[in-house]
Amino acid sequence: MSYSKHGKLPGNEEMENPAAGYLWDLCRRHGVSYKNYGEGAQRVPTIDRGKWTGERDMDKVQCWIDDLHAAEKTGALPSFTIMSLGEDHTRGTTPGAFTPDASVASNDIGLGKIVEAASRSRFWKEMAIFVIEDDAQNGPDHVDAHRTVGFVISPFCKRGFVDSTLYTTASMIRTMELILGLPPLTQYDAGATPMFNCFRNSATVIAYHPLPPKVDLLARNTEKSPFAKESQQMDWSEYDRIPEDELNRILWYVTKGSDVPYPAPIHRAVFTKR
């Protein structure tokens, strides 16, 4: 409702805050240990929040890695962990801010560090990491405006295999619930297709080695960057305050150049008959 730009409307709070709570609320109700790093952390007790500080994703993840190393000594790692790595939202071409390429690269390195540390830990043979894009609906691609990037990383994942199953965000949530032995939160995850086809029965335990970056991680925008003035006028204090279409077009121009047309939103309907 808040995306509509109509301000506060009757019923906003009820629609924006799920009656059954969030995944961490579900864990708490069923005695499943959890820890929250950044993503909705203000909604959980302090004891269940992980330290999540630092300007850049590639540095921020060290907080979780330190906690992982500490847990290896005690054997007590939370069953469910949720975190937010948001540097890949970028700050457009705001002068003085890190460039879009540097921001996305830092985000990639942050995820790579997490996987590297996890794959070398005593817990890896029992772990699965789910990664999904924030605000996927805010930018079209050449196929469909509903699509997003999703990763499942685990020693139990199938290798050399393309899974063409149609999954949704709710599919990812339902899969995590099943792994943790939790009931569904709503009718949406209850009816979602679990990501069973991504997994196999046996684990292949191999340490992950991240690749070195191929871009300048410290590159910053200048006053001469394209659309620098437009980017400077945006409110970067909160992701959802950024005019998404305007930012998308700036990032497209910076990445693809002026010769590649911006993709028009495509919304498809799928009809099946049984």
Side-chain angles (χ1 to χ4, degrees):
M1 290 290 285
S2 61
Y3 285 7
S4 68
K5 311 301 182 187
H6 292 307
K8 287 292 181 181
L9 299 174
N12 261 20
E13 293 301 322
E14 290 86 349
M15 295 186 71
E16 291 182 2
N17 296 295
Y22 298 87
L23 273 174
W24 50 84
D25 297 316
L26 187 65
C27 287
R28 184 170 60 249
R29 287 198 295 270
H30 292 271
V32 175
S33 59
Y34 68 94
K35 202 135 196 179
N36 189 309
Y37 293 80
E39 179 62 26
Q42 73 278 8
R43 297 186 175 95
V44 302
T46 304
I47 193 173
D48 297 315
R49 301 179 195 174
K51 184 180 178 183
W52 206 233
T53 59
E55 179 185 7
R56 313 202 66 189
D57 287 349
M58 60 184 178
D59 303 321
K60 188 179 295 184
V61 297
Q62 190 61 47
C63 299
W64 179 81
I65 294 172
D66 290 343
D67 286 348
L68 175 68
H69 292 161
E72 289 188 285
K73 298 176 183 178
T74 64
L77 183 73
S79 298
F80 174 68
T81 299
I82 184 168
M83 66 178 65
S84 172
L85 291 173
E87 192 176 354
D88 60 339
H89 282 78
T90 81
R91 290 183 177 268
T93 53
T94 303
F98 292 105
T99 65
D101 279 352
S103 299
V104 173
S106 173
N107 180 265
D108 287 344
I109 290 172
L111 176 58
K113 284 183 174 181
I114 287 172
V115 178
E116 180 181 30
S119 69
R120 297 170 185 273
S121 78
R122 60 184 284 190
F123 304 105
W124 183 234
K125 62 182 182 297
E126 299 174 345
M127 292 180 74
I129 301 173
F130 295 83
V131 186
I132 197 166
E133 176 192 6
D134 180 35
D135 289 338
Q137 80 283 3
N138 282 358
D141 64 14
H142 63 291
V143 176
D144 189 294
H146 295 102
R147 296 203 320 164
T148 186
V149 174
F151 298 106
V152 183
I153 306 163
S154 171
F156 286 94
C157 281
K158 295 177 181 177
R159 295 173 177 268
F161 169 76
V162 177
D163 188 358
S164 299
T165 309
L166 177 62
Y167 296 121
T168 66
T169 304
S171 297
M172 190 173 279
I173 293 172
R174 185 66 185 130
T175 307
M176 289 187 282
E177 291 168 343
L178 289 168
I179 290 173
L180 295 169
L182 295 171
L185 274 167
T186 70
Q187 61 180 332
Y188 299 106
D189 48 330
T193 301
M195 303 176 77
F196 291 144
N197 206 26
C198 294
F199 297 95
R200 58 185 179 181
N201 293 327
S202 59
T204 300
V205 181
I206 300 175
Y208 174 70
H209 301 277
L211 296 174
K214 296 182 179 180
V215 301
D216 183 359
L217 294 169
L218 302 179
R220 293 181 182 268
N221 301 309
T222 70
E223 297 286 349
K224 296 182 179 180
S225 297
F227 302 104
K229 185 180 295 184
E230 289 81 356
S231 296
Q232 200 166 20
Q233 294 173 351
M234 296 180 183
D235 183 358
W236 300 101
S237 62
E238 172 61 40
Y239 299 141
D240 292 334
R241 294 181 180 177
I242 303 166
E244 60 267 11
D245 184 66
E246 186 178 351
L247 176 60
N248 287 340
R249 292 177 184 274
I250 291 173
L251 295 177
W252 182 270
Y253 181 94
V254 171
T255 304
K256 298 288 188 177
S258 59
D259 298 331
V260 182
Y262 184 76
I266 300 172
H267 301 283
R268 304 179 190 275
V270 179
F271 175 75
T272 60
K273 186 175 181 181
R274 299 193 178 196

